[in-house]
Amino acid sequence: MCSQNHYLFSCQSFRNLDVDSRIKKASESNVCMNCLRPGHTDKRCKLSHCKYCTLKHNTLLHRDPENQSSNNIVLSTNTDTSDMSNQKIVLLSTALANAADVNGKLHPVRLLLDNGSTSNFITRDFCEKLGLSKEGTTSTVSVRAVHLELVSDLTKEAFLAAFSRFISRRGKPQRVYSDNGSTFVGAFNELSRFIQVSSKQIESDLANQDIQFKFIPAYSPHFGGIWEAAVKSTKHLLRRVLSLTHLTYEELSTCLIQIEAILNSRPLTPLSSDPSDLSFLTPSHFLLGRAQSSIIRPGLTEHNIHRLQRFDRIEKLRQHFWQRYSNEYVSLLQQRTRWQTGGQDLKVGAMVLVRDVNLPPLLWLLGRVVAVKPGTDGRSRVADIRTKKGTITRAYNNIVPLPLQ
């Protein structure tokens, strides 16, 4: 095809040809029709078949059902990106499929496969071709995330400073729910007085950006259950992890922020219903747009804290908190209703969270149920789970299904 020294599938001149011309050129060059290399035939070729069908030919020689001359769609693994000026290059993998319209008639469609995407899209023209109706939908997503701030005292000035740090890091909230602590009530009165004595220009600017403070009844912490649950779990483990440890303000602030990352890394729901997809959604996805990550550190849970340096002591506290939280989290989520109600058997393909005390911080073990094992009474209490480590067998007391409520 050209004067350069490369195989036929790497030749840009060969790629610019239509499919029929590629087949004719490959036949004239006496090369394997499967890998486009000389020295053997396609029957003796050890490489895989076409990516679009199961026939034994190269992907560059594939014909579309309707468009026999289509030569502008190739796999990313077969694409030569040295010449990015070629507008026919598609960097993502594609596949052929048939979609049924409202009358049951099949229409060929080209799918663009993006493993990093969490949404599905379809063109307007294809919707009209299938006869699909457009409906307006609205949805609301509620996610509980944790933000921890360390303050030096319980004055309104300390709370206002912490509240300013929160707004700078997370953005201005629309509503703030609080208990009737004097610290929070005093801060609300301070902000109210500031708005009252401010100029009309400031009042007009804050008219559409006002923050609503809502207080629960006095001596009624159960009214704030949505946040008191997170506060309770944090305090419960902090008392046991920190114990009599003496930390400076900077060390304790670092420890709390790392604990905040652990609390916001908890799994909420699977990202898709694909049985082969083990990815899950966390509160960090709504805060950062991605999953939480951390720096890899050696295990320090077995070391004596008094023999560690100050920086390593914080890491030991973090690992200790993670070990307690991840181990107790599954037990806290399980509902003890097996003696009262039935129908709690897991279904094949469901995503579950598995208890594993040997995992490093921020790494949760999730898997898909591939089989359940019923007992003599017909109730299943053990399941085989496919994880990234392979297939494991766990009892129901060590797993909890997603999504979490």
Side-chain angles (χ1 to χ4, degrees):
M1 291 294 297
C2 59
S3 59
Q4 299 181 9
N5 185 18
H6 51 233
Y7 288 112
L8 189 60
F9 58 83
S10 300
C11 182
Q12 191 62 40
S13 301
F14 178 77
R15 290 175 174 272
N16 293 334
L17 299 176
D18 56 75
V19 178
D20 294 333
S21 300
R22 292 177 189 173
I23 296 175
K24 182 179 178 181
K25 184 61 180 178
S27 301
E28 294 175 354
S29 302
N30 195 21
V31 296
C32 174
M33 303 298 288
N34 187 45
C35 64
L36 299 180
R37 291 181 174 87
H40 62 274
T41 61
D42 53 344
K43 294 182 180 180
R44 296 186 178 182
C45 186
K46 298 181 179 179
L47 297 182
S48 60
H49 51 72
C50 175
K51 300 299 188 299
Y52 298 135
C53 61
T54 59
L55 298 180
K56 197 72 171 181
H57 61 248
N58 193 273
T59 306
L60 296 175
L61 307 181
H62 176 77
R63 288 193 181 97
D64 289 342
E66 289 189 350
N67 188 6
Q68 298 294 334
S69 61
S70 175
N71 65 336
N72 62 339
I73 301 178
V74 295
L75 286 179
S76 57
T77 54
N78 295 331
T79 302
D80 184 10
T81 58
S82 59
D83 184 13
M84 295 303 295
S85 62
N86 189 355
Q87 298 298 327
K88 296 182 179 181
I89 293 178
V90 178
L91 297 181
L92 292 175
S93 302
T94 59
L96 289 175
N98 291 324
D101 58 14
V102 293
N103 299 321
K105 182 181 178 181
L106 297 179
H107 299 271
V109 60
R110 176 72 67 175
L111 304 179
L112 181 63
L113 307 178
D114 184 5
N115 296 331
S117 177
T118 59
S119 302
N120 300 322
F121 300 93
I122 185 172
T123 62
R124 186 189 305 271
D125 296 337
F126 196 68
C127 285
E128 297 176 354
K129 188 176 182 179
L130 297 179
L132 301 179
S133 60
K134 181 180 178 181
E135 297 180 0
T137 58
T138 58
S139 60
T140 303
V141 179
S142 300
V143 179
R144 292 182 295 175
V146 178
H147 180 93
L148 301 179
E149 281 286 347
L150 181 62
V151 294
S152 56
D153 51 46
L154 296 180
T155 61
K156 67 177 182 181
E157 290 79 12
F159 168 73
L160 289 175
F163 190 60
S164 299
R165 293 194 297 268
F166 171 81
I167 294 178
S168 300
R169 292 168 57 186
R170 305 298 187 189
K172 186 184 71 64
Q174 294 181 351
R175 286 178 295 273
V176 177
Y177 295 87
S178 171
D179 56 24
N180 271 269
S182 58
T183 301
F184 309 112
V185 176
F188 169 72
N189 296 332
E190 183 72 17
L191 292 177
S192 301
R193 283 193 297 268
F194 169 75
I195 296 176
Q196 292 176 0
V197 301
S198 61
S199 62
K200 295 183 179 179
Q201 291 81 6
I202 298 179
E203 290 181 354
S204 61
D205 293 338
L206 295 179
N208 297 326
Q209 300 180 1
D210 193 14
I211 301 176
Q212 299 180 8
F213 280 82
K214 295 183 179 295
F215 298 98
I216 62 176
Y219 308 105
S220 304
H222 60 281
F223 274 77
I226 192 171
W227 68 79
E228 289 292 346
V231 173
K232 178 182 178 181
S233 61
T234 304
K235 286 184 177 180
H236 176 78
L237 293 177
L238 275 179
R239 291 192 185 99
R240 287 153 179 78
V241 171
L242 296 180
S243 185
L244 300 178
T245 305
H246 297 280
L247 299 176
T248 62
Y249 182 89
E250 181 179 1
E251 292 172 346
L252 184 56
S253 178
T254 304
C255 184
L256 288 178
I257 294 176
Q258 291 178 339
I259 290 176
E260 172 190 312
I262 292 176
L263 297 175
N264 291 332
S265 70
R266 66 188 188 276
L268 296 178
T269 183
L271 276 176
S272 67
S273 59
D274 186 3
S276 61
D277 187 9
L278 300 180
S279 55
F280 55 92
L281 198 64
T282 67
S284 296
H285 283 84
F286 297 88
L287 297 176
L288 306 177
R290 55 177 174 81
Q292 190 68 257
S293 59
S294 64
I295 302 175
I296 300 177
R297 296 291 305 278
L300 301 175
T301 54
E302 302 298 331
H303 292 70
N304 191 340
I305 192 173
H306 301 290
R307 298 183 180 180
L308 297 176
Q309 298 181 358
R310 303 290 299 186
F311 180 75
D312 292 333
R313 291 185 180 184
I314 302 176
E315 178 63 23
K316 177 179 172 62
L317 294 175
R318 182 178 80 108
Q319 294 180 7
H320 189 190
F321 184 91
W322 160 259
Q323 193 175 44
R324 293 288 301 266
Y325 179 73
S326 61
N327 189 34
E328 299 175 6
Y329 186 58
V330 175
S331 301
L332 294 175
L333 295 174
Q334 291 176 335
Q335 298 180 356
R336 304 295 183 179
T337 58
R338 61 177 181 269
W339 292 287
Q340 301 173 6
T341 60
Q344 296 187 8
D345 290 342
L346 294 175
K347 297 182 179 179
V348 175
M351 177 174 282
V352 294
L353 173 63
V354 184
R355 187 207 308 265
D356 192 343
V357 297
N358 298 320
L359 289 177
L362 303 183
L363 290 181
W364 300 87
L365 181 60
L366 284 94
R368 296 277 185 175
V369 177
V370 295
V372 294
K373 300 180 179 180
T376 56
D377 57 351
R379 296 295 302 275
S380 299
R381 297 179 178 87
V382 180
D384 291 337
I385 306 168
R386 179 177 56 81
T387 65
K388 293 181 179 180
K389 298 181 178 181
T391 303
I392 59 177
T393 302
R394 292 292 185 274
Y396 280 15
N397 62 326
N398 289 319
I399 57 178
V400 60
L402 297 182
L404 305 179
Q405 301 298 331

